[in-house]
C-alpha cells in the first residue's frame, strides 16, 4: 500500500512540475503575467508562429514532442500536458 501512495505522490509531483514548466513557457511566449490551465492559446494572444515557438520550447524543456495535428481541437496547457503523459 505504501508503494502505491508513493507512486501516486510522485506522479502528482511530476504533473505539477510539468504544469509549472508549461505555464512558464506560455507566459514567456505570450508575454503575459499569468495563464490559466484551461485558457485557449489563441484567445490570449497566441498565433501560429508563437505556437511553433511554444512547441519547440516544450520539446526543449520537457524532452517530448507534441504533434501539431494533436492540437486541432484547441490548445490549452491541460491538453498539452495530457499528450506529454500519453
Amino acid at each position: 500500500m505504501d508503494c502505491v501512495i508513493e507512486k501516486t505522490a510522485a506522479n502528482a509531483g511530476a504533473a505539477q512540475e510539468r504544469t509549472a514548466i508549461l505555464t512558464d513557457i506560455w507566459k514567456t511566449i505570450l508575454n503575459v503575467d499569468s495563464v490559466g490551465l484551461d485558457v485557449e492559446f489563441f484567445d490570449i494572444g497566441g498565433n501560429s508562429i508563437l505556437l511553433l515557438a511554444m512547441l519547440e520550447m516544450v520539446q526543449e524543456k520537457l524532452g517530448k514532442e507534441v504533434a501539431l495535428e494533436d492540437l486541432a481541437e484547441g490548445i490549452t496547457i491541460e491538453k498539452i500536458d495530457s499528450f506529454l503523459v500519453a
Side-chain angles (χ1 to χ4, degrees):
M1 179 79 165
D2 288 337
C3 184
V4 172
I5 292 171
E6 288 174 14
K7 274 183 122 173
T8 303
N11 288 343
Q16 287 178 331
E17 185 176 345
R18 276 192 319 275
T19 300
I21 292 169
L22 289 170
T23 300
D24 286 343
I25 290 170
W26 280 42
K27 290 186 329 189
T28 299
I29 292 290
L30 297 169
N31 196 28
V32 295
D33 293 329
S34 64
V35 176
L37 300 182
D38 60 347
V39 173
E40 170 66 42
F41 184 80
F42 292 112
D43 289 346
I44 57 173
N47 60 44
S48 57
I49 293 171
L50 293 175
L51 174 62
L52 295 174
M54 183 265 297
L55 291 176
E56 184 176 319
M57 284 183 78
V58 167
Q59 183 175 11
E60 182 180 297
K61 293 188 181 269
L62 295 170
K64 293 195 174 186
E65 190 172 319
V66 177
L68 193 56
E69 55 269 9
D70 289 337
L71 302 174
E73 293 183 27
I75 303 162
T76 65
I77 290 174
E78 287 176 333
K79 186 166 186 177
I80 291 173
D81 186 54
S82 72
F83 287 112
L84 295 174
V85 293

